[in-house]
């Protein structure tokens, strides 16, 4: 009798335990793609763009395609699992320009262990909406006060292989003197200049060959940090919105 995948097994088909994304070969670098105009990297310009976005199309990654093809979210829902989540894309108002605040997840977590992520997580029953979720999770994970955040918009939902439909919420953030980390979930917090992340010359396409076939994913290495997967995919959508 053939083995029947459970919801939990389906969620883990994307990457084996100990998967090293940095070891995956680079297929290409996005050199020559349209650059984001420098003026679009200013707080006022981003606020205006999100308030009245032009016609644009989010990028569908191989991760998104796999989630849809494997029906991962529907299986998770059928098993009674939470599938809605939200993250905050915190654009920190630094004197030298906007920076993106990111977290390094601890190595023992079940989903996306050790990866670089935005602060955020699953939607709780008490959350009114995705903004509530993103702000609550940011407070819990890194001690980011909601009083320091001006919500200016959101990006389209992003589907992850861990079985979540994630709403990226974008906020302008006043710098905090320090961040109080949830040591169970967050190993570190750091900033990357927005101009670096929005430069397509810093966007790599890597191809992982597995038993399930080829899987392409984006990576944006910065100094000693390796930003990839869903985080890089959401940053690519921010890039597509701002480049128009």
């Amino acid at each position: 009798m053939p083995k029947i995948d459970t919801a939990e097994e389906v969620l883990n088909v994307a990457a084996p335990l100990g998967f090293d994304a940095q070891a995956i070969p680079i297929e290409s670098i996005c050199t020559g793609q349209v650059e984001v105009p420098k003026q679009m990297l200013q707080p006022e310009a981003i606020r205006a763009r999100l308030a009245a976005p032009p016609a644009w199309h989010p990028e569908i990654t191989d991760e998104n395609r796999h989630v849809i093809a494997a029906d991962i979210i529907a299986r998770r829902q059928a098993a009674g699992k939470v599938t809605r989540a939200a993250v905050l894309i915190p654009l920190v108002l630094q004197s030298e320009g906007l920076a993106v605040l990111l977290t390094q997840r601890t190595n023992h977590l079940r989903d996306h262990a050790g990866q670089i992520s935005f602060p955020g997580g699953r939607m709780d029953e008490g959350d009114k909406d995705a903004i509530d979720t993103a702000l609550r999770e940011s407070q819990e994970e890194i001690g980011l006060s909601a009083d320091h955040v001006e919500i200016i918009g959101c990006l389209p939902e992003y589907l992850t292989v861990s079985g979540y439909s994630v709403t990226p919420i974008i906020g302008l953030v006043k710098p905090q003197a320090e961040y109080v980390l949830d040591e169970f979930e967050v190993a570190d917090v750091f900033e990357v200049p927005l101009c670096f992340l929005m430069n397509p010359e810093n966007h790599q396409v890597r191809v992982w060959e597995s038993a399930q076939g080829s899987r392409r994913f984006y990576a944006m290495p910065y100094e000693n940090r390796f930003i990839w997967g869903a985080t890089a995919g959401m940053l690519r959508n921010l890039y597509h919105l701002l480049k128009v």
Side-chain angles (χ1 to χ4, degrees), residues 24-44:
I24 302 303
I26 299 172
E27 180 191 62
S28 61
I29 297 175
C30 299
T31 304
Q33 294 189 1
V34 176
E35 295 183 7
V36 176
K38 290 182 179 179
Q39 62 270 23
M40 279 305 306
L41 299 177
Q42 300 302 313
E44 299 78 10

Side-chain angles (χ1 to χ4, degrees), residues 104-152:
Q104 180 91 41
R105 293 167 63 82
T106 50
N107 288 324
H108 61 79
L109 294 176
R110 174 169 184 155
D111 294 332
H112 310 292
Q115 292 186 22
I116 290 170
S117 302
F118 299 113
R122 292 178 296 181
M123 181 172 286
D124 283 356
E125 288 184 6
D127 295 338
K128 294 183 297 185
D129 52 26
I131 292 174
D132 252 17
T133 301
L135 291 176
R136 175 184 54 76
E137 287 280 344
S138 297
Q139 172 70 52
E140 293 174 0
E141 289 185 358
I142 63 174
L144 177 61
S145 172
D147 294 339
H148 285 216
V149 183
E150 176 196 351
I151 301 299
I152 58 174

